[in-house]
Amino acid sequence: MHEHLLTSDPSREDRVKVHWWYLKTAKEKLQFKALCKRGLSPAMAVGSVSKPGQYPHAAMPLSVQDNFPSTPGKAKMERNNYFGFTKITSRWHSSISAKFSFWLVVLVFLLAFAVFRLKFSGIHTIGHVSLLTDPWVKHVKHSCHVKRDDGLVVLVTGSAGFVGSHVSLYLKKRGDGVLGIDNFNNYYDPSLKAARRALLEKQGIFVVEADINDAALLQTLFSLVSFTHVMHLAAQAGVRYAMENPGSYVHSNIAGLVGLFEACKNANPQPAVVWASSSSVYGLNRKVPFSEFDRTDKPASLYAATKKAGEMIAHTYNHIYGLSITGLRFFTVYGPWGRPDMAYFFFTKAILEGKTINVYQGPNGVELARDFTYIDDVVKGCVASLDTAQRSTGSGGKKKGPAQLRMFNLGNTKPVTVPDMVKILEKHLKRKAHINIVSMPRNGDVPFTHANITLAQRQLSYNPTTDLETGLKKFVHWYRSYHSNSDKSRSRP
Ligand SMILES: O=C(O)[C@H]1O[C@H](OP(=O)(O)OP(=O)(O)OC[C@H]2O[C@@H](n3ccc(=O)[nH]c3=O)[C@H](O)[C@@H]2O)[C@H](O)[C@@H](O)[C@H]1O
């Protein structure tokens, strides 16, 4: 509404806005507008449309100025013709204007500072939506809307990841409120993460694109939404990549975890946290199956060490702040929408492309084995953990009593050797693999994993039902359809 009042002088523009805003009645505003349009200074225009003394920022109306004593130091006026009007400048007027200009500058500075902080805290935009505008907040709140009695409100970190996307969809489908957060890093093809995000958004799950290390963002989310639970799945995964990029493990699995626990412990109410640890914490243990009561102080990779550190950190936050925390040790999770850095996934690609795969072998020709666990079983374990989690006992950073602290193995309990896994893939892909047997490199791998799931069975009613044969069949089916669809969309003009 101001555009027709604006001149090329920005300070005049600002003054017009401020004066207009101060005027109380529509009549005053209308007259003020007309006078400004005709070139009168904003302060003069206010003075002319109002009663003397009504607005402290107004200049004297012309009629009053005629009688105003020309006292040096108080008010010195000059008149000259200005677009058919008498232009009057005065020191009195100038000092009022100066005050306004000063506060205007302060206001503009504060606004600029706020925008700057938001910008560099990474929460200024989600997609192309500014945090300063309502749509972003609406997306967040809408995504957290609960559609069943006693439904949960869950913040899922790593929601564009493999397990994160599956858990988010499951929760949303049963009527829980779900908000995702993911930094969409390029550890593996980000287009797969984007495709998972599209799937989530189709179901009404909003994914905030940000890093869990962004404390200001987490604080904003917790102030907007009373999360009952946090499903923390954001992490730097992969055992062997830790030798290439150790810093990324510290960033996500240690600093990120601490940042998340900080946000949770400060929240009021504090949410219950369920988070992903890893079977790799069993490291070089020889006693099988691996039990939660076994020692876990021999990690074979930095990845495993950061997960083990996470378990210790979880204990601390539970102990000091009363956060309810459940850690889940995942055993080589696989399935549709899986991670391209995992062996079953890149073996599939290589077999289809007729390329050679390296199959590792332990000392003395021992075949390596994994307790491969199908994604749907893991999702059930995650959701059961959320459903059975007790409330945190603290609030606003203060502990009010002891809180629940749990750890569960989520495995399949039926380890399969890597060569057998390759045979299953060959069968479903209807292709022979070109295999190169190589000694297991010293890069963090362990020879075997095998979960004891008694605890999860007892407390979570966790019972995995998908064997590797069935699970890989579903994976291959998904792989073919996903790649034929993305090939088609790539070839579209
Ligand atoms: O349960 C976990 O805590 C971890 O599971 C997963 O690690 P791993 O069990 O090591 O899975 P993955 O890499 O698929 O290798 C599978 C098998 O293939 C063998 N392998 C691997 C590569 C290769 O080129 N050749 C080969 O024989 C390899 O020696 C191994 O025997 C997750 O990646 C990890 O993030 C973490 O979640």
Side-chain angles (χ1 to χ4, degrees), residues 312-366:
M312 304 288 97
I313 291 165
H315 179 272
T316 311
Y317 274 84
N318 168 268
H319 172 68
I320 302 180
Y321 300 110
L323 270 183
S324 159
I325 304 178
T326 304
L328 302 175
R329 292 177 179 163
F330 292 164
F331 282 69
T332 315
V333 188
Y334 72 99
W337 297 97
R339 278 172 30 210
D341 64 311
M342 289 182 69
Y344 76 94
F345 198 118
F346 63 77
F347 282 179
T348 298
K349 183 171 188 285
I351 294 169
L352 286 173
E353 290 171 356
K355 293 185 178 154
T356 302
I357 57 172
N358 288 330
V359 172
Y360 300 152
Q361 209 170 55
N364 307 318
V366 172

Side-chain angles (χ1 to χ4, degrees), residues 276-293:
S277 182
S278 159
S279 71
S280 64
V281 298
Y282 292 109
L284 302 172
N285 285 9
R286 290 184 164 273
K287 179 185 150 278
V288 282
F290 299 152
S291 153
E292 294 88 342
F293 302 102

Side-chain angles (χ1 to χ4, degrees), residues 141-164:
K141 296 210 165 183
H142 187 256
S143 194
C144 294
H145 185 65
V146 176
K147 291 193 178 143
R148 67 180 179 104
D149 290 345
D150 298 324
L152 317 182
V153 184
V154 189
L155 175 66
V156 180
T157 71
S159 55
F162 173 35
V163 182

Side-chain angles (χ1 to χ4, degrees), residues 99-417:
K99 274 185 197 158
F100 266 93
S101 302
F102 169 76
W103 286 113
L104 210 63
V105 167
V106 170
L107 194 71
V108 167
F109 176 80
L110 286 175
L111 270 172
F113 180 68
V115 170
F116 177 85
R117 276 205 58 168
L118 289 172
K119 190 174 167 69
F120 289 94
S121 62
I123 52 175
H124 61 302
T125 60
I126 296 301
H128 297 289
V129 183
S130 167
L131 176 59
L132 299 173
T133 60
D134 261 63
W136 188 86
V137 175
K138 272 190 197 149
H139 285 311
V140 167
K141 296 210 165 183
H142 187 256
S143 194
C144 294
H145 185 65
V146 176
K147 291 193 178 143
R148 67 180 179 104
D149 290 345
D150 298 324
L152 317 182
V153 184
V154 189
L155 175 66
V156 180
T157 71
S159 55
F162 173 35
V163 182
S165 55
H166 281 276
V167 172
S168 299
L169 287 169
Y170 187 101
L171 293 172
K172 192 72 183 177
K173 201 167 168 195
R174 73 173 196 176
D176 293 326
V178 181
L179 180 71
I181 173 171
D182 201 295
N183 70 0
F184 291 88
N185 68 26
N186 60 1
Y187 167 60
Y188 60 79
D189 184 5
S191 72
L192 179 57
K193 297 180 185 180
R196 294 190 193 121
R197 176 197 217 161
L199 212 63
L200 299 189
E201 286 183 347
K202 229 170 156 181
Q203 301 306 317
I205 302 168
F206 185 50
V207 181
V208 176
E209 188 168 345
D211 195 293
I212 49 163
N213 283 281
D214 188 337
L217 172 85
L218 290 183
Q219 202 189 341
T220 302
L221 294 180
F222 276 99
S223 64
L224 286 173
V225 181
S226 288
F227 294 106
T228 58
H229 294 74
V230 171
M231 183 81 231
H232 176 49
L233 297 165
Q236 176 58 61
V239 173
R240 292 167 288 278
Y241 180 65
M243 290 182 73
E244 273 177 59
N245 188 359
S248 67
Y249 290 79
V250 178
H251 176 83
S252 296
N253 304 355
I254 299 198
L257 184 69
V258 171
L260 184 90
F261 282 151
E262 277 293 308
C264 293
K265 76 88 181 9
N266 288 331
N268 203 353
Q270 287 178 339
V273 183
V274 177
W275 73 286
S277 182
S278 159
S279 71
S280 64
V281 298
Y282 292 109
L284 302 172
N285 285 9
R286 290 184 164 273
K287 179 185 150 278
V288 282
F290 299 152
S291 153
E292 294 88 342
F293 302 102
D294 295 343
R295 292 180 68 158
T296 50
D297 50 7
K298 286 184 189 151
S301 64
L302 183 68
Y303 168 70
T306 59
K307 285 295 181 181
K308 174 67 188 171
E311 294 184 357
M312 304 288 97
I313 291 165
H315 179 272
T316 311
Y317 274 84
N318 168 268
H319 172 68
I320 302 180
Y321 300 110
L323 270 183
S324 159
I325 304 178
T326 304
L328 302 175
R329 292 177 179 163
F330 292 164
F331 282 69
T332 315
V333 188
Y334 72 99
W337 297 97
R339 278 172 30 210
D341 64 311
M342 289 182 69
Y344 76 94
F345 198 118
F346 63 77
F347 282 179
T348 298
K349 183 171 188 285
I351 294 169
L352 286 173
E353 290 171 356
K355 293 185 178 154
T356 302
I357 57 172
N358 288 330
V359 172
Y360 300 152
Q361 209 170 55
N364 307 318
V366 172
E367 290 177 341
L368 306 185
R370 287 291 181 273
D371 197 357
F372 295 100
T373 311
Y374 189 63
I375 182 66
D376 289 1
D377 290 324
V378 166
V379 169
K380 282 185 201 145
C382 291
V383 173
S385 301
L386 291 169
D387 289 342
T388 55
Q390 291 170 3
R391 284 168 193 247
S392 293
T393 61
S395 75
K398 294 236 161 50
K399 183 179 179 178
K400 301 221 172 99
Q404 190 180 41
L405 182 69
R406 304 182 294 175
M407 181 62 65
F408 296 109
N409 285 340
L410 291 187
N412 191 51
T413 68
K414 293 179 187 72
V416 176
T417 66

